[in-house]
């Protein structure tokens, strides 16, 4: 009898969870899948091209992350939405890029604390976002997707020291109080998405990998510079 009650309770909880899922959550779960695939690729699941594939999966996770936010604003979010999104981002843009960097460059254990700091900073950044008041125009601290994309693209440049320094810098920016703009314009979102997908395609095809990585890095650097630009424009007014 107790076993039957336990089974009914478990089935009831599972059904309640699945019933709570809405369309935006499907894109968030796709983000989770791409993040996990990136970790598998970074671990060598696809042989010699695994590092490139890991970066492609992180870029695909970024596209899915952008789509879930866009669809949520159009159709409404679910009760799971915000927390589910943060959990997905922690996998795809927190754990996956750090693991990718460690595996790609065979970083020594002495360097791993920098990766731990990045992961902890990303976790704190997401937790702060979930509990703080969410403004319509700005994020507090660098969003973890931007940090994860930047870090993973830097791996393709083949310079381990640069990647480690970026890991530390991006971690500090995530936990900072610097305001970064939320991209809400559909044309800007589409442009970002197309650039990421195009870069991912070139990396997947093994064509102009360095140029594709630099394109992604330059795009993120423009976003990194946005607080300075916004501040100067406000001063002129």
């Amino acid at each position: 009898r107790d076993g039957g009650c336990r089974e009914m309770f478990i089935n009831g909880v599972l059904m309640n969870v699945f019933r709570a899922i809405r369309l935006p959550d499907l894109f968030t779960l796709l983000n989770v899948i791409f993040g996990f695939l990136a970790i598998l690729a970074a671990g060598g699941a696809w042989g010699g091209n695994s590092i490139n594939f890991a970066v492609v999966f992180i870029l695909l996770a970024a596209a899915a992350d952008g789509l879930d936010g866009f669809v949520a604003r159009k159709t409404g979010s679910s009760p799971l939405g915000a927390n589910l999104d943060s959990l997905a981002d922690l996998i795809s843009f927190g754990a996956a890029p750090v693991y990718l960097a460690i595996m790609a460059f065979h970083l020594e254990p002495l360097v791993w604390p920098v990766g731990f700091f990045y992961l902890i900073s990303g976790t704190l950044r997401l937790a702060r976002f979930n509990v703080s008041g969410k403004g319509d125009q700005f994020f507090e601290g660098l969003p973890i997707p931007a940090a994860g994309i930047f870090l993973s693209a830097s791996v393709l440049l083949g310079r381990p020291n640069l990647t480690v320094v970026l890991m530390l810098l991006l971690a500090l920016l995530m936990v900072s109080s610097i305001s970064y703009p939320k991209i809400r314009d559909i044309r800007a979102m589409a442009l970002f998405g197309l650039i990421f997908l195009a870069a991912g395609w070139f990396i997947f095809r093994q064509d102009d990998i360095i140029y594709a990585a630099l394109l992604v890095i330059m795009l993120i650097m423009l976003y990194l510079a946005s607080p300075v630009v916004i501040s100067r424009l406000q001063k002129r007014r």
Side-chain angles (χ1 to χ4, degrees), residues 218-237:
M218 288 175 61
L219 192 64
I220 300 298
M221 287 184 70
L222 287 174
Y223 185 73
L224 287 174
S226 59
V228 177
V229 175
I230 292 170
S231 176
R232 291 196 173 184
L233 287 174
Q234 288 176 342
K235 285 181 180 179
R236 288 183 181 179
R237 290 179 184 177

Side-chain angles (χ1 to χ4, degrees), residues 103-139:
M103 297 301 292
F105 297 125
H106 305 288
L107 296 178
E108 297 291 334
L110 288 174
V111 184
W112 291 2
V114 180
F116 299 157
F117 180 59
Y118 174 93
L119 189 57
I120 289 170
S121 297
T123 304
L124 292 172
R125 165 67 179 76
L126 291 166
R128 179 175 64 183
F129 175 77
N130 283 357
V131 300
S132 63
K134 300 173 179 64
D136 292 332
Q137 294 184 331
F138 296 99
F139 293 110

Side-chain angles (χ1 to χ4, degrees), residues 6 36 51-52 62 69 130 150 187 213:
R6 187 181 301 110
F36 186 62
I51 298 303
N52 296 344
N130 283 357
F150 198 167
R187 292 167 297 183

Side-chain angles (χ1 to χ4, degrees), residues 26-233:
L26 298 179
F27 290 104
T28 306
L29 295 174
L30 191 60
N31 179 1
V32 173
I33 292 171
F34 284 137
F36 186 62
L37 286 172
I39 292 172
L40 290 177
W46 278 273
N49 295 328
S50 285
I51 298 303
N52 296 344
F53 288 155
V55 178
V56 171
F57 285 130
I58 289 171
L59 291 174
L60 289 173
D65 183 54
L67 283 172
D68 77 0
F70 174 75
V71 175
R73 287 189 292 277
K74 294 295 182 181
T75 64
S77 60
S78 75
L80 303 174
N83 291 316
L84 190 62
D85 185 64
S86 290
L87 292 170
D89 286 353
L90 186 59
I91 295 171
S92 298
F93 311 114
V98 170
Y99 185 63
L100 169 62
I102 290 173
M103 297 301 292
F105 297 125
H106 305 288
L107 296 178
E108 297 291 334
L110 288 174
V111 184
W112 291 2
V114 180
F116 299 157
F117 180 59
Y118 174 93
L119 189 57
I120 289 170
S121 297
T123 304
L124 292 172
R125 165 67 179 76
L126 291 166
R128 179 175 64 183
F129 175 77
N130 283 357
V131 300
S132 63
K134 300 173 179 64
D136 292 332
Q137 294 184 331
F138 296 99
F139 293 110
E140 184 179 2
L142 180 68
I144 194 172
I149 294 167
F150 198 167
L151 183 60
S152 59
S154 75
V155 171
L156 297 177
L157 300 181
R159 298 178 179 272
N161 291 337
L162 173 63
T163 296
V164 172
V165 170
L166 281 175
M167 203 181 296
L168 180 59
L169 176 62
L170 293 168
L172 292 172
L173 289 175
M174 282 192 288
V175 293
S176 72
S177 298
I178 299 173
S179 296
Y180 287 89
K182 294 184 177 181
I183 300 175
R184 295 288 189 238
D185 185 80
I186 188 171
R187 292 167 297 183
M189 292 177 62
L191 178 61
F192 271 69
L194 288 173
I195 290 174
F196 289 153
L197 291 176
W201 175 251
F202 283 117
I203 295 167
F204 174 76
R205 291 290 303 272
Q206 311 291 309
D207 295 332
D208 298 322
I209 293 176
I210 299 297
Y211 293 112
L214 288 173
L215 178 62
V216 172
I217 288 171
M218 288 175 61
L219 192 64
I220 300 298
M221 287 184 70
L222 287 174
Y223 185 73
L224 287 174
S226 59
V228 177
V229 175
I230 292 170
S231 176
R232 291 196 173 184
L233 287 174

